[in-house]
Amino acid sequence: MILVTACGSNSSNNSTGTNSGTNTAEEGSAEGKLKVVLLIPGTLGDKSFFDAANNGLQKVKAELGAETKVVEMGTDKTKWEPTFNDIAAEEWDVIISGGSEITEMFNATAEANPDKKFINYDTDIEEAPANMYNMSYSTNEVSFLAGAVAALATKSDMPNANPENVIGFVGGMDIPGINAFLVGYIQGAQYVDPDVKVAVSYAGDFVNPAKGKELSLIQYNSGVDVIFNVAGGTGLGIFDAAKEKTKYAIGVDSDQAALLKDTDPEKANLIVTSAIKKIDSAILGAVTKIQDGTLEMGKRDVLGFVEEGVGIAENDIYKDVFPADLQAKVEEVKQKLINKEVTVDNAMGMETSEVEAIRNAVKP
């Protein structure tokens, strides 16, 4: 997914030391430990993309005993490249960042520092320097499953579903990385119900919860009863709107219901499931292989259901809110995806006109 940025908070309750900019406190300075740093092109607090990466770094520290640091680079893109270069000049063994938007400058930093290893935890760009390992995720396939959930929910007897056969999608921007989610979502919804309609909105921003709420309220008021969030920090406003209108939502990247259930259980209980990129596990797995000397550098791996790189949240809320017979239907669809019995198109290889045609075909 092309850079889903966080909401604007610089505060974090995570155990890994964090600060904005490059003035971040280091942890665990004992010699002999693998030294791993994570550079966030934004800020933590989105309960999604960036927080998932930070969770991965915490696992690296806890499970591998590594010395770790996370740097929140902020949303000023002019500061990203200097920060990459500054960090590369320090004594870190592994430097991690993520997003197609940073890939070009991150690759340049890797090429200039061949003695260090780099991981891009989410990029759609295949080329990688010899000391870089890239990952991406089958977002089109996991979104297909999210679309199946939404289409089944809107036609169900769930208490907050209405008679209208319309579901929603709110994306951060009208760009290929977001539309990869959209196309999969539409196709998954149509797979279980060819007559379903999909309302689509783009916020033009990944860090504007107020805009996310505004667009979501418009959709809910028009008859939508479940909205798929693919908008980073902006998407937090979708959950605000869902709570206000007592309608459903589907999260993205992380299990967003789990992240909200302690602070706002009423809101969390409206998030039927989330389309998860298992970024935390992917980061831990890659760093583990670096430590073992088994990671093949200079390549990009695409992680799907088979590789356990994606999945939907099947948490207690999903099991309680989403009827058991519908869960069984979703499981059938998932197995067909795993067995490659269903092929999902990928907007990353589409012309803009193709994506537009798909959107228009399901427009309410």
Side-chain angles (χ1 to χ4, degrees):
M1 176 174 170
I2 188 169
L3 191 59
V4 176
T5 53
C7 23
S9 171
N10 285 330
S11 64
S12 174
N13 294 322
N14 295 311
S15 61
T16 305
T18 67
N19 280 309
S20 293
T22 57
N23 261 341
T24 329
E26 296 183 14
E27 299 185 351
S29 57
E31 292 184 6
K33 289 186 176 182
L34 189 70
K35 303 180 68 174
V36 184
V37 59
L38 171 66
L39 304 176
I40 296 290
T43 56
L44 296 173
D46 63 348
K47 300 188 183 298
S48 180
F49 187 68
F50 292 145
D51 285 358
N54 189 45
N55 288 340
L57 188 70
Q58 291 185 58
K59 289 182 177 182
V60 166
K61 180 184 178 184
E63 298 187 27
L64 302 182
E67 175 183 336
T68 61
K69 178 170 77 172
V70 59
V71 178
E72 297 174 78
M73 299 193 294
T75 57
D76 183 351
K77 298 177 185 179
T78 65
K79 295 182 179 179
W80 293 352
E81 188 169 13
T83 303
F84 283 141
N85 293 331
D86 289 345
I87 292 296
E90 297 177 2
E91 296 299 320
W92 296 101
D93 302 309
V94 184
I95 300 173
I96 305 172
S97 193
S100 293
E101 200 168 16
I102 57 91
T103 297
E104 184 177 351
M105 63 184 77
F106 200 36
N107 284 353
T109 303
E111 290 170 351
N113 295 272
D115 58 324
K116 300 180 184 295
K117 289 184 169 59
F118 294 76
I119 296 172
N120 189 329
Y121 64 80
D122 193 357
T123 180
D124 295 305
I125 299 172
E126 292 190 21
E127 296 76 17
N131 57 333
M132 173 81 75
Y133 174 68
N134 289 340
M135 294 179 281
S136 65
Y137 308 83
S138 299
T139 54
N140 58 328
E141 292 189 353
V142 72
S143 297
F144 187 97
L145 206 55
V149 170
L152 290 167
T154 194
K155 290 288 290 289
S156 73
D157 294 327
M158 292 169 64
N160 302 319
N162 60 39
E164 303 293 332
N165 193 21
V166 186
I167 61 177
F169 176 97
V170 174
M173 292 184 180
D174 185 0
I175 53 178
I178 298 301
N179 288 331
F181 285 87
L182 173 64
V183 170
Y185 181 66
I186 290 172
Q187 291 184 343
Q190 289 187 309
Y191 183 79
V192 300
D193 183 0
D195 297 324
V196 71
K197 300 298 182 184
V198 184
V200 179
S201 303
Y202 299 97
D205 198 329
F206 288 107
V207 289
N208 190 342
K211 185 66 174 180
K213 181 178 181 180
E214 175 191 345
L215 294 173
S216 299
L217 287 174
I218 292 170
Q219 288 197 11
Y220 286 134
N221 289 334
S222 73
V224 167
D225 48 17
V226 54
I227 295 175
F228 186 21
N229 160 35
V230 191
T234 296
L236 296 176
I238 298 170
F239 305 139
D240 293 335
K243 180 178 178 180
E244 182 173 318
K245 305 301 292 187
T246 319
K247 297 297 180 183
Y248 297 114
I250 294 174
V252 74
D253 289 336
S254 299
D255 181 348
Q256 295 194 290
L259 294 171
L260 291 168
K261 68 178 183 180
D262 292 334
T263 57
D264 197 332
E266 183 180 352
K267 188 183 295 183
N269 284 326
L270 294 169
I271 304 174
V272 180
T273 188
S274 295
I276 301 173
K277 292 180 182 179
K278 299 182 181 180
I279 293 170
D280 53 350
S281 298
I283 287 175
L284 174 62
V287 176
T288 300
K289 289 182 179 179
I290 284 179
Q291 190 175 58
D292 295 342
T294 59
L295 185 65
E296 185 180 350
M297 306 298 290
K299 62 177 290 191
R300 178 177 71 108
D301 284 332
V302 180
L303 309 179
F305 284 105
V306 174
E307 298 80 12
E308 298 185 350
V310 297
I312 62 166
E314 300 178 44
N315 53 30
D316 290 342
I317 293 172
Y318 175 75
K319 293 174 182 176
D320 183 54
V321 171
F322 198 56
D325 60 326
L326 301 187
Q327 292 178 42
K329 291 180 180 179
V330 171
E331 182 63 28
E332 289 177 12
V333 175
K334 182 172 73 173
Q335 291 304 317
K336 289 182 178 180
L337 288 166
I338 291 172
N339 296 332
K340 304 301 181 183
E341 296 174 41
V342 177
T343 300
V344 187
D345 291 333
N346 193 337
M348 295 304 298
M350 288 184 178
E351 298 291 336
T352 302
S353 58
E354 293 179 84
V355 176
E356 186 175 1
I358 292 171
R359 280 197 301 253
N360 289 340
V362 293
K363 189 174 180 179

